[in-house]
Amino acid sequence: MLKGKSQAFLEMASEEAAVTMVNYYTPVTPHLRSQPVYIQYSNHRELKTDNLPNQARAQAALQAVNAVQSGGLALAGVPTADGGLPPGQSSVLRIIVENLFYPVTLEVLYQIFSKFGTVLKIITFTKNNQFQALLQYSDPVNAHYAKMALDGQNIYNACCTLRIDFSKLTSLNVKYNNDKSRDFTRLDLPSGDGQPSIDPTMAAAFGIISSPYAGAAGFAPAIGFPQAAGLSVSAVPSALGPLAITTSAMTGRLAIPGVTGIPGNSVLLVSNLNPDAITPDGLFILFGVYGDVHRVKIMFNKKENALVQMADATQSQLAMNHLNGQKLYGKVLRVTLSKHQTVQLPREGQEDQGLTKDYSNSPLHRFKKPGSKNFQNIFPPSATLHLSNIPPSITVEDLKSLFGNTGCNVKNFKFFPKDRKMALIQLGSVEEAIQALIELHNHNLGENHHLRVSFSKSTI
């Protein structure tokens, strides 16, 4: 703690833990004794403590935190260590936006709520002349934290107030991917122009009518949005701090601080790469877990940065949501929307060193078949990998050896009891799993079998 400066340094157990903490507190500033606390990365790699008097409070705080973590104390409103949640808390949230002076779209809700976990599905609708939404997370814990942090917050200053409750539904049934509804696990769904976005039985149960207002979902019927008023970006200040979402009435585009591109863009800027280890093929394999990668360009003069062009904007959002903040080859990835609308191929004769590649017609695309099961198996990076397409002659030791040779620490392994073509392998860390997926997906196992590797939601 820095005496007289109202500042402190906090060293976490790992860089991953530090990233998780900063990402968690980015959307909503935490308060201690009614004072806002701002958290950012330090240039210091390690803290050296001493026995000076001003360290006493720091040591006391550390002891209190350790007591909480070891189960000596319980924090009110926080899920228990065994993952238990109070009854009635599902992974589906019901969101009402009150005092709707500016339009709130499905994309706005996704940007806000994805800060707290993996958003699977969103349905927007109008009920009792109010703009509402149902939003499903992959985990009830994510829904719990999102409700705690966002309930009662304004999206913009003095308007668009979020009222959040747990829904009685346990899962959402989305029929179409459009501006009213979206299933981020089913990229193959039709747009269903002119069709209701919500299942009729669900709509009847909730007394819901699909939003009848054209354009962006969420126009307030009694107010209307002043399209010709020429509001500047600064005229719509946000109340959610770093998560601020501002809007230009003239263009209808959203601008998210920290996201330099335009929602709807399919090109991602990937920065803080390890230039000695990363290749276009590596980025193609990794980002291909979340969509079909069409082109990859590693910057010729700044090889820590790359552009990745996905098949569409939904896939780019999905990849950004899952991969931003992950660790790869010792570096923490930064993934944002790019200002570029497409990745340009090098001109004939232009020096490129093979840093730009076109994968538009790659046979390795996971999502090219409509209705493919891969749409149902999109999960965040995890230390456990799902393996498939394993030939009968391959043994447990063969696969353990294969992954061990990449530098991974194999913790556990098991074949699926009813199908030895598939298996789960648990590695030492998420970073190891990401690197193993890059190196071994499509690895030739012989007998015309190429190994398929993806992240698993299961553990062994």
Side-chain angles (χ1 to χ4, degrees):
M1 298 180 73
L2 304 182
K3 191 174 183 181
K5 290 192 176 182
S6 300
Q7 295 179 10
F9 292 107
L10 180 65
E11 182 181 344
M12 306 295 286
S14 67
E15 194 169 340
E16 286 180 1
V19 170
T20 301
M21 181 176 181
V22 171
N23 286 347
Y24 180 80
Y25 285 117
T26 292
V28 181
T29 304
H31 287 70
L32 283 176
R33 296 179 182 173
S34 302
Q35 292 295 315
V37 179
Y38 300 100
I39 300 171
Q40 61 190 38
Y41 297 110
S42 164
N43 291 325
H44 294 281
R45 303 295 300 177
E46 185 180 359
L47 294 183
K48 290 191 171 26
T49 58
D50 52 39
N51 294 318
L52 295 176
N54 64 319
Q55 296 297 330
R57 287 183 297 164
Q59 295 300 325
L62 275 174
Q63 289 172 7
V65 170
N66 289 333
V68 171
Q69 291 179 335
S70 63
L73 295 171
L75 294 177
V78 176
T80 57
D82 62 0
L85 285 166
Q89 297 192 5
S90 76
S91 59
V92 180
L93 295 176
R94 182 166 184 171
I95 303 155
I96 299 174
V97 183
E98 296 180 346
N99 194 16
L100 190 70
F101 190 73
Y102 297 107
V104 174
T105 65
L106 184 148
E107 285 77 15
V108 169
L109 294 176
Y110 180 85
Q111 289 284 353
I112 294 172
F113 283 84
S114 64
K115 298 287 184 182
F116 295 87
T118 302
V119 175
L120 300 182
K121 304 171 187 178
I122 302 177
I123 297 172
T124 63
F125 55 91
T126 300
K127 181 183 177 185
N128 300 331
N129 286 331
Q130 285 184 313
F131 174 66
Q132 301 188 26
L134 293 169
L135 182 146
Q136 182 181 344
Y137 278 107
S138 60
D139 193 314
V141 173
N142 302 139
H144 173 89
Y145 281 125
K147 182 182 184 301
M148 281 204 312
L150 297 176
D151 188 26
Q153 295 284 339
N154 293 331
I155 298 176
Y156 307 113
N157 280 345
C159 68
C160 299
T161 306
L162 293 169
R163 301 295 178 199
I164 304 171
D165 283 304
F166 292 102
S167 171
K168 294 177 182 177
L169 298 171
T170 56
S171 181
L172 299 181
N173 181 19
V174 175
K175 298 170 65 179
Y176 304 106
N177 282 339
N178 51 38
D179 64 341
K180 307 292 192 300
S181 64
R182 195 76 52 83
D183 185 336
F184 296 98
T185 69
R186 291 285 308 278
L187 307 182
D188 60 324
L189 290 180
S191 61
D193 295 334
Q195 298 296 319
S197 59
I198 191 168
D199 185 83
T201 55
M202 189 186 297
F206 278 83
I208 293 167
I209 58 170
S210 292
S211 176
Y213 308 108
F219 282 104
I223 298 174
F225 192 59
Q227 293 286 345
L231 292 178
S232 66
V233 167
S234 60
V236 196
S238 167
L240 285 180
L243 202 141
I245 300 175
T246 53
T247 182
S248 164
M250 294 298 288
T251 64
R253 289 176 177 174
L254 297 172
I256 315 294
V259 178
T260 55
I262 302 161
N265 193 357
S266 62
V267 180
L268 297 168
L269 171 64
V270 187
S271 55
N272 203 37
L273 292 163
N274 184 335
D276 298 324
I278 200 63
T279 65
D281 288 348
L283 290 172
F284 166 72
I285 294 294
L286 177 58
F287 281 77
V289 173
Y290 300 106
D292 291 338
V293 176
H294 283 192
R295 291 178 180 176
V296 176
K297 183 184 193 73
I298 295 177
M299 303 302 188
F300 184 77
N301 293 320
K302 196 172 183 183
K303 294 184 173 64
E304 309 85 45
N305 294 345
L307 296 174
V308 177
Q309 182 177 337
M310 309 294 290
D312 58 43
T314 301
Q315 294 181 6
S316 66
Q317 287 278 356
L318 198 61
M320 180 172 66
N321 187 38
H322 285 304
L323 295 177
N324 182 43
Q326 296 293 339
K327 203 170 181 183
L328 175 63
Y329 299 125
K331 308 273 279 185
V332 178
L333 291 182
R334 296 280 172 255
V335 184
T336 60
L337 291 176
S338 168
K339 63 182 179 182
H340 298 284
Q341 296 297 304
T342 185
V343 172
Q344 297 292 332
L345 295 174
R347 295 186 298 273
E348 189 174 345
Q350 182 180 359
E351 187 181 3
D352 181 65
Q353 297 179 350
L355 296 176
T356 305
K357 286 197 174 184
D358 190 314
Y359 297 96
S360 301
N361 298 315
S362 172
L364 296 182
H365 285 163
R366 296 177 187 247
F367 306 101
K368 60 184 177 182
K369 290 183 182 176
S372 165
K373 286 184 179 180
N374 291 333
F375 288 106
Q376 307 293 330
N377 295 300
I378 299 175
F379 303 111
S382 61
T384 304
L385 295 173
H386 179 275
L387 313 180
S388 60
N389 204 34
I390 303 168
S393 61
I394 295 294
T395 66
V396 172
E397 292 307 317
D398 290 333
L399 289 167
K400 282 186 175 181
S401 175
L402 179 66
F403 279 82
N405 288 339
T406 66
C408 295
N409 178 18
V410 178
K411 296 274 191 179
N412 213 337
F413 181 94
K414 76 169 183 181
F415 277 111
F416 278 48
K418 295 182 179 178
D419 187 355
R420 281 182 58 88
K421 292 180 183 176
M422 295 192 290
L424 294 177
I425 187 167
Q426 183 182 342
L427 303 179
S429 67
V430 175
E431 182 183 9
E432 284 187 12
I434 292 174
Q435 292 172 200
L437 181 141
I438 289 174
E439 294 181 38
L440 295 177
H441 178 66
N442 201 45
H443 179 81
N444 190 350
L445 294 174
E447 303 176 42
N448 201 28
H449 284 68
H450 287 77
L451 184 64
R452 298 285 177 259
V453 185
S454 56
F455 298 115
S456 174
K457 67 176 180 178
S458 306
T459 55
I460 304 175

